[in-house]
Amino acid sequence: MDFFENFWSIFWWLFCVYAIFAFLYALFMVITDLFRDHKLSGWWKAVWIVFLAFVPFLSLLVYMVARGKGMTERSMAHARRDQEAADAYIRQVAAASPSDEIAKAKALLDAGTISAAEFEQIKGKAVV
């Protein structure tokens, strides 16, 4: 019998693929959390890694039950730090202060790149 002729065999195959990806995602999230947690000693991290290597499914469940709340807090703190860093970078790059714009325009005026009228126009836009 062909594999694709039976609906339930396709359904079972898709379920198994989904379960494997879910397991791998959870495994990588736990390993990431282990190394993100600075309060946990190196020995405890090694113990968790050994258990994850030899008893992976049970270790994942125990880790998520025992340390799930802390895992969420660390993940949210990391996301918050990343967002703050991105916001600071965007503010730094996107918005030049009026004095910076005037200084750049003055440098262009001194170099002869723009005329005095253009300098006044840029200065007027920067001040407003």
Side-chain angles (χ1 to χ4, degrees):
M1 181 161 102
D2 191 22
F3 175 74
F4 291 107
E5 289 180 6
N6 186 354
F7 170 77
W8 292 109
S9 63
I10 296 171
F11 180 78
W12 179 250
W13 182 82
L14 288 174
F15 177 78
C16 290
V17 169
Y18 173 78
I20 289 169
F21 279 110
F23 170 75
L24 290 175
Y25 178 76
L27 182 67
F28 288 122
M29 290 300 294
V30 166
I31 291 172
T32 301
D33 184 63
L34 272 172
F35 290 103
R36 188 178 287 165
D37 187 5
H38 298 293
K39 294 179 184 174
L40 193 64
S41 73
W43 288 106
W44 280 111
K45 290 177 184 180
V47 168
W48 276 112
I49 294 293
V50 167
F51 275 107
L52 285 169
F54 292 109
V55 192
F57 189 73
L58 182 63
S59 298
L60 277 176
L61 290 177
V62 170
Y63 188 90
M64 289 186 181
V65 168
R67 299 179 47 86
K69 185 176 179 181
M71 188 174 174
T72 303
E73 292 168 357
R74 283 184 292 280
S75 179
M76 289 179 65
H78 186 72
R80 195 174 313 112
R81 278 193 309 267
D82 287 349
Q83 185 64 45
E84 289 169 358
D87 291 345
Y89 176 75
I90 290 170
R91 270 187 252 107
Q92 174 192 1
V93 172
S97 69
S99 60
D100 289 340
E101 289 185 34
I102 294 171
K104 289 177 187 175
K106 178 67 174 153
L108 291 173
L109 177 66
D110 293 342
T113 308
I114 61 172
S115 66
E118 290 172 321
F119 172 73
E120 291 300 323
Q121 183 181 12
I122 292 171
K123 190 167 88 171
K125 286 181 183 177
V127 172
V128 174

